[in-house]
Amino acid sequence: MNELSEICPEHKFPEFEIERNTEEAKKTIGQESLENPEEKIEKEEFLSSIKDVIKRAEERKRELIKDRSKEAKEKLRGINIKDTEWINTGRKFILEHKENPEKIRQFWENYKLAFGKDTESWRTYKTGILTGLAVKKILEEELNMDFSFSDPETDVDYKIDGWGTPKEDKNTLFAVQIKGRSWANLEYDQQKRLISDSMVMIFNRTEIYTENQKDDKEIKRFKKGVRLFLKDNKDNKNFMAMFVTLPTGQERKNGPKKFINDYGEPTEKVRELFKKQFEKKMAFK
């Protein structure tokens, strides 16, 4: 089994100079590679090249989901890992160019074009990028934590999006799963549940191993992934799991203001509610 320090080191984002490797393309995308496999993508070419890469991966993924064979599952895992790499690269791009509105606009324009009419996949990618950035900002700026995103393999295999450690308590480690929901306000979700009770869910080690009838399927899947992680990796930390659901879209009640803008910046209300829920839930752990 691996030591915990080996599986969740400080995350290193994929570089913008990405090798166009023929064999890697066949394994993860299942399509013919581009010409000149040794050629590297420069930063300025990233926005235009990403369209073709994501489009081909999405097409191949839809084919493999229908195939139940072990080989297909492994290929699908490879594509999901590549998806996560692109999401992490998108997050890094936004952080690096947050002072350049034109770069950010062009980035989102190219990302959307990559999916064509597949608006569902487009929303999934965008939500993954923005909610991840928003959680990172809130944990670091509001709750005084160090936060890093998981490496793509850990994300895919264990359903853990990132890792949070309080700066004043290095013996505590949070495995974090992040989701986005299209809420119209910050009071109730579509099932009429109080968002004040469902934005941040925290589970201690005992609760991770406890089945709860109130857990929805996504929380059950997250707990299962965390249990598998703990089985495969040794640790001596105070290990906890955090399931976060952030609102996406616009708050209709008070006008056309996005809960999370295109730079991954959450509104003050979202920050406030997140912090309040986190502190409330931790008081009982």
Side-chain angles (χ1 to χ4, degrees):
M1 295 193 296
N2 298 321
E3 293 294 334
L4 188 62
S5 59
E6 296 176 353
I7 196 71
C8 57
E10 183 65 24
H11 181 71
K12 301 297 183 184
F13 289 105
E15 296 295 331
F16 281 95
E17 292 187 354
I18 303 168
E19 281 195 31
R20 295 177 173 179
N21 182 278
T22 305
E23 292 304 315
E24 183 67 14
K26 289 180 179 179
K27 289 179 182 178
T28 60
I29 299 178
Q31 303 286 338
E32 293 299 322
S33 66
L34 301 176
E35 295 180 2
N36 302 323
E38 300 303 322
E39 181 186 2
K40 292 186 176 182
I41 303 173
E42 302 295 337
K43 276 189 177 182
E44 290 73 18
E45 295 177 311
F46 169 73
L47 293 177
S48 60
S49 66
I50 195 174
K51 293 189 295 183
D52 292 333
V53 176
I54 296 177
K55 183 177 180 180
R56 291 185 302 177
E58 287 298 313
E59 290 172 351
R60 185 66 176 139
K61 186 193 297 185
R62 284 192 287 270
E63 295 174 11
L64 290 172
I65 288 175
K66 301 175 184 178
D67 190 337
R68 301 286 183 176
S69 69
K70 184 178 180 180
E71 181 182 4
K73 288 181 180 179
E74 188 59 30
K75 287 182 178 179
L76 182 59
R77 175 180 178 271
I79 291 177
N80 288 334
I81 288 173
K82 186 63 65 175
D83 283 351
T84 306
E85 289 178 355
W86 280 113
I87 287 175
N88 283 344
T89 303
R91 290 167 177 159
K92 182 181 181 184
F93 188 91
I94 290 174
L95 288 173
E96 288 186 346
H97 297 281
K98 59 184 178 182
E99 304 299 330
N100 189 330
E102 178 57 25
K103 279 277 189 181
I104 300 300
R105 184 198 65 76
Q106 189 181 14
F107 170 82
W108 286 122
E109 182 179 278
N110 279 270
Y111 234 64
K112 188 172 184 178
L113 286 172
F115 295 97
K117 296 181 180 179
D118 188 359
T119 55
E120 183 177 351
S121 294
W122 150 245
R123 283 194 296 267
T124 299
Y125 266 72
K126 186 172 185 178
T127 297
I129 292 173
L130 294 181
T131 54
L133 290 174
V135 168
K136 177 179 174 65
K137 290 175 183 291
I138 294 172
L139 292 180
E140 292 180 345
E141 297 170 9
E142 304 295 336
L143 294 170
N144 198 31
M145 282 194 192
D146 291 320
F147 179 82
S148 60
F149 294 107
S150 296
D151 60 87
E153 289 80 5
T154 299
D155 188 315
V156 171
D157 293 340
Y158 300 112
K159 316 305 179 189
I160 299 172
D161 293 322
W163 304 92
T165 303
K167 291 182 178 180
E168 298 179 357
D169 181 12
K170 295 296 184 180
N171 289 320
T172 295
L173 180 67
F174 289 90
V176 184
Q177 169 71 267
I178 306 165
K179 297 293 182 182
R181 292 287 182 275
S182 181
W183 292 334
N185 55 62
L186 290 179
E187 297 174 2
Y188 296 93
D189 63 17
Q190 289 92 330
Q191 283 72 46
K192 304 300 181 182
R193 296 175 299 189
L194 278 171
I195 291 176
S196 58
D197 290 331
S198 61
M199 181 181 281
V200 181
M201 307 290 288
I202 297 176
F203 309 99
N204 59 31
R205 191 181 289 261
T206 299
E207 292 167 329
I208 291 170
Y209 286 92
T210 303
E211 295 293 336
N212 191 323
Q213 292 183 344
K214 294 182 179 180
D215 293 343
D216 62 28
K217 63 180 182 180
E218 290 184 341
I219 292 178
K220 290 179 180 177
R221 190 181 299 119
F222 175 49
K223 282 186 175 181
K224 182 179 179 180
V226 173
R227 290 195 296 267
L228 181 59
F229 174 85
L230 290 172
K231 179 182 177 181
D232 291 345
N233 301 273
K234 299 177 182 179
D235 80 284
N236 298 312
K237 291 179 178 289
N238 176 22
F239 195 96
M240 308 189 80
M242 185 191 311
F243 189 90
V244 178
T245 307
L246 289 188
T248 61
Q250 299 181 155
E251 184 172 10
R252 304 186 189 98
K253 184 176 181 180
N254 297 321
K257 185 175 183 180
K258 293 181 179 180
F259 290 117
I260 305 172
N261 67 22
D262 285 351
Y263 296 77
E265 185 68 43
T267 64
E268 289 301 318
K269 185 65 176 179
V270 171
R271 286 173 176 265
E272 178 185 334
L273 189 54
F274 188 111
K275 183 179 181 181
K276 182 178 180 181
Q277 288 188 36
F278 177 85
E279 292 174 344
K280 176 182 177 181
K281 303 291 174 63
M282 286 299 294
F284 295 95
K285 302 301 176 184

